[in-house]
Structures are given as C-alpha cells and as structure tokens.
C-alpha cells in the first residue's frame, strides 16, 4: 500500500476568501491500539467543517484535516481490533471517543462527556485519502445505502435525529424547520415519514423548492411566521437572531431545539412573547453511539436518501463555498475513491 496520501489541512483558520485550506501530501497514518486504518471513499461536507476552517470553533489540533462524515473501507488495524475485517465498509462520525468512566458516560449520555474527542477537530478526518478511527466508535453501514448517500447520514442525519428527539414532537404534530441544509432536509424526511406536518423556514429559494418537493406543507422565509402554530421546532441555521422568531411561532408547551455546535448571539428575549406558556428552548450536543445505530437502522428501513452534490477531493474549497453561500439544496459530498471489488 502507498505510504503517502493527499489531504486538505486547515493552514490557519480564516474566512474562505482567504483560502484557509491547503492541499498537501502527508504520510498515511498508522492505526494505534483499538484503531482501524480506513481508505476514504466519500466524506460529507458539514457546516462544522466550515466552522473549523473559518475559526468559529477554537483550534484543537493545528493543521487538522477536516471531515467527519466518512465512508470508507478497512485496510488495516492496530492491536486489539476485533470488530471489523479488512475490506469491511465502515462509517466514521463526528464523535471519535469518550472517557467511558465519567458520570455522563456511565449514565448513557456520552455525548456530554467532558473529555469527548471529535473527528476533524481533535484528530484528522476525512478530507484525505486515508484516515484512522477507533473501531468502537465506527459504524457498520447498511448494505442498501450507497457510499455517496451514506456520508451525510453520519453527522447531518444523526444530529438531525437527535435534534428531533430533543424537540419532543408529538405524534402527527407540526414541526418547524429553520434552515434547510444537509441535516435539515434529512430530518424533514424522517419527520414526514413518521406522520408529521413539516413547515420549512429558510432564506434560500432553492432550498424552499427542495422542501416542497420533499413534501413540506409550507416553505417560507425564516423571519416570517409559519402559517400555523408549531408543536416543535428545530433551528439548524447558526443564526441566533432566529431564536426569538422561532420561539414566538411555538404553540403553548412546545420546544425549540437548537441543533448547531456554533450559534451567533441571541437577541434579548421577551418573557411573555417568547417563553411564557411553558415554551422550552434546548440545545443539542453531538450524539451517542446508540443515536447513530438507531438512525442508520431507520434510514435503511424508511429508505431515507439525501439530496447530494458530488465533488472531487481537490474541490473541497468549492464544496465549502457552496455550503457557505446559504442556498443549499442538499448535502455536498467529496468523492475520494471507489470501493475495491476485491476483498482482502
């Protein structure tokens, strides 16, 4: 196997106009104990990658390789690996590792572990030809989902699934979705498949058309009121100014879940208008491994498929620019390689 690989690194976080990513040649990483070496097939382009590249999130690993929606095949393993064989197809998500011993981990809330680590932020990710991952945090992927479609499921889909649970949407209820990128368009499909009435509020005309094509009951501007009171809402856009708008649109007793890892400042809230009548606002932090397992099983059973836009590995900056432009009509995915036909 080759000893070097192409990879994008964040040279120094900066606005995209200043080209913060460099395409470089690196040594293929060596898997440590409990780690698998993965040949990257596809890698989804997530808004968190944008936050890492532009500096909205603090630097945790200098010159990190971004990317945490990784579909690949196992080509090697370190000591102690028992789950996967060479040639197996795996998915690598955002959550890379936890301590396993703190109160949160013991309570089944590993997403809140203070020592949690993340792919493409604490350790190199999937904007590369090879990567490593702890096999305990990798997923076996359903055979019925192709490499391109599987990538966005590994963060956009899983986080949207957790956000939908946190929003506590009642059966058959009316869900508001603010922002309509990779995660939101998958969450809308999941909610619709479960019998919800979905109302999408987003700034992009193309995103609104996609929402209606997928079955949303309405699609309007994020700063406008939906046509009906909402039984739950999820904010995917990293825009704090939308929080009071979304809270004012909630029915009594409803919940707003804020799904992003980064959010701009929230304006002052008015208690009577935004929070009274037992309205709730909650955040969503990462996910547990069981969230991912539950969602991937649902995605296969319900035949959830993301709308994707394929890019080559060397087009990663273009994919991030597409995401940053705002009128996202689906999920960007880097095509790094095609699956080997021969199992080793």
């Amino acid at each position: 196997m080759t000893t070097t690989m192409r990879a994008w690194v964040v040279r120094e976080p900066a606005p995209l106009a200043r080209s913060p990513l460099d395409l470089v040649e690196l040594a293929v990483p060596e898997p440590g104990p409990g780690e698998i070496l993965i040949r990257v097939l596809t890698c989804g382009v997530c808004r968190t990658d944008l936050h890492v590249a532009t500096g909205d999130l603090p630097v945790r690993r200098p010159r990190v390789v971004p990317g945490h929606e990784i579909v690949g095949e196992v080509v090697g393993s370190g000591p102690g690996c028992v789950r996967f064989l060479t040639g197996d197809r795996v998915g690598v998500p955002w959550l890379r590792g936890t301590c396993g011993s703190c109160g949160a981990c013991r309570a089944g809330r590993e997403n809140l572990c203070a020592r949690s680590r993340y792919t493409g932020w604490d350790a190199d990710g999937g904007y590369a030809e090879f990567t490593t991952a702890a096999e305990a945090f990798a997923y076996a992927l359903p055979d019925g989902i192709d490499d391109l479609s599987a990538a966005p499921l590994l963060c956009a889909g899983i986080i949207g699934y957790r956000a939908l649970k946190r929003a506590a949407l009642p059966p058959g209820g009316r869900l508001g979705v603010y922002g309509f990128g990779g995660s939101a368009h998958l969450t809308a499909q999941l909610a619709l498949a479960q019998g919800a009435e979905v109302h999408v509020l987003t700034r992009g005309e193309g995103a609104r058309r996609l929402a209606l094509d997928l079955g949303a009951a309405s699609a309007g501007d994020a700063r406008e009121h939906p046509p009906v009171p909402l039984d739950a809402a999820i904010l995917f856009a990293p825009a704090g100014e939308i929080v009071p708008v979304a809270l004012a649109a909630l029915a009594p007793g409803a919940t707003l879940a804020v799904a992003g890892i980064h959010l701009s400042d929230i304006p002052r809230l008015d208690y009577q208008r935004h929070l009274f009548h037992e309205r709730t606002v909650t955040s969503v932090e990462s996910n547990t491994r069981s969230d991912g397992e539950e969602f991937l099983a649902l995605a296969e059973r319900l035949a959830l498929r993301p709308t994707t836009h394929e890019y080559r590995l060397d087009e990663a900056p273009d994919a991030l620019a597409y995401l940053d432009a705002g009128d996202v009509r689906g999920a960007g995915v880097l095509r790094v390689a095609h699956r080997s036909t021969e199992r080793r």
Side-chain angles (χ1 to χ4, degrees):
M1 190 178 71
T2 182
T3 59
T4 62
M5 67 177 187
R6 294 184 303 151
W8 288 97
V9 299
V10 180
R11 179 182 65 256
E12 185 175 349
L16 291 186
R18 288 167 51 190
S19 302
L21 299 185
D22 280 340
L23 184 59
V24 299
E25 187 172 277
L26 299 177
V28 171
E30 291 283 339
E35 290 186 339
I36 49 178
L37 175 63
I38 298 159
R39 177 174 174 257
V40 178
L41 302 173
T42 60
C43 184
V45 179
C46 178
R47 184 164 291 275
T48 302
D49 303 336
L50 189 60
H51 295 320
V52 169
T54 60
D56 290 328
L57 294 178
V59 174
R60 301 258 281 246
R61 176 182 172 88
R63 294 182 64 80
V64 71
V65 176
H68 57 274
E69 297 178 329
I70 304 166
V71 176
E73 56 185 357
V74 177
V75 294
S77 60
C81 289
V82 295
R83 283 186 67 203
F84 298 110
L85 300 175
T86 298
D88 283 350
R89 191 175 70 136
V90 296
V92 181
W94 173 236
L95 184 65
R96 186 179 186 88
T98 61
C99 75
S101 60
C102 68
C105 287
R106 294 198 306 272
R109 305 175 73 189
E110 64 184 2
N111 60 306
L112 302 181
C113 174
R115 287 183 279 173
S116 55
R117 300 178 70 248
Y118 299 97
T119 308
W121 191 21
D122 293 294
D124 289 340
Y127 286 25
E129 293 176 313
F130 295 89
T131 193
T132 60
E135 71 161 6
F137 284 81
Y139 293 110
L141 295 175
D143 290 336
I145 304 176
D146 65 86
D147 298 339
L148 205 65
S149 298
L153 302 182
L154 292 164
C155 178
I158 295 171
I159 292 298
Y161 173 67
R162 184 170 183 86
L164 188 59
K165 291 200 295 184
R166 295 283 290 166
L169 178 69
R174 295 165 298 196
L175 174 69
V177 176
Y178 288 83
F180 205 67
S183 190
H185 91 289
L186 284 166
T187 308
Q189 290 180 63
L190 180 58
L192 287 164
Q194 295 177 330
E197 178 183 308
V198 175
H199 298 269
V200 171
L201 300 111
T202 188
R203 63 181 178 172
E205 287 289 345
R208 291 179 206 163
R209 288 194 297 272
L210 175 59
L212 294 173
D213 288 344
L214 291 173
S218 72
D221 188 270
R223 289 161 181 79
E224 297 174 354
H225 232 52
V228 294
L230 303 173
D231 299 312
I234 305 173
L235 174 59
F236 289 100
E241 66 270 19
I242 301 298
V243 170
V245 178
L247 285 170
L250 295 181
T255 296
L256 168 66
V258 180
I261 191 174
H262 169 77
L263 190 71
S264 61
D265 289 344
I266 300 172
R268 181 176 178 178
L269 299 178
D270 178 272
Y271 179 71
Q272 293 293 331
R273 185 180 176 197
H274 300 127
L275 295 173
F276 196 54
H277 300 306
E278 298 193 349
R279 296 184 181 102
T280 299
V281 60
T282 185
S283 63
V284 179
E285 182 174 352
S286 186
N287 60 275
T288 65
R289 280 171 282 183
S290 61
D291 288 331
E293 290 161 0
E294 291 167 9
F295 172 71
L296 289 171
L298 269 176
E300 183 178 37
R301 180 166 63 83
L302 298 175
L304 298 184
R305 293 295 182 271
T307 299
T308 57
H309 298 267
E310 184 174 345
Y311 295 85
R312 300 187 307 273
L313 177 61
D314 58 11
E315 294 176 316
D318 297 329
L320 285 176
Y322 164 75
L323 182 61
D324 191 43
D327 192 10
V328 176
R329 297 175 294 281
V333 180
L334 302 181
R335 166 66 73 179
V336 182
H338 290 275
R339 185 158 166 73
S340 300
T341 56
E342 181 182 358
R343 188 182 178 89
R344 292 174 296 280

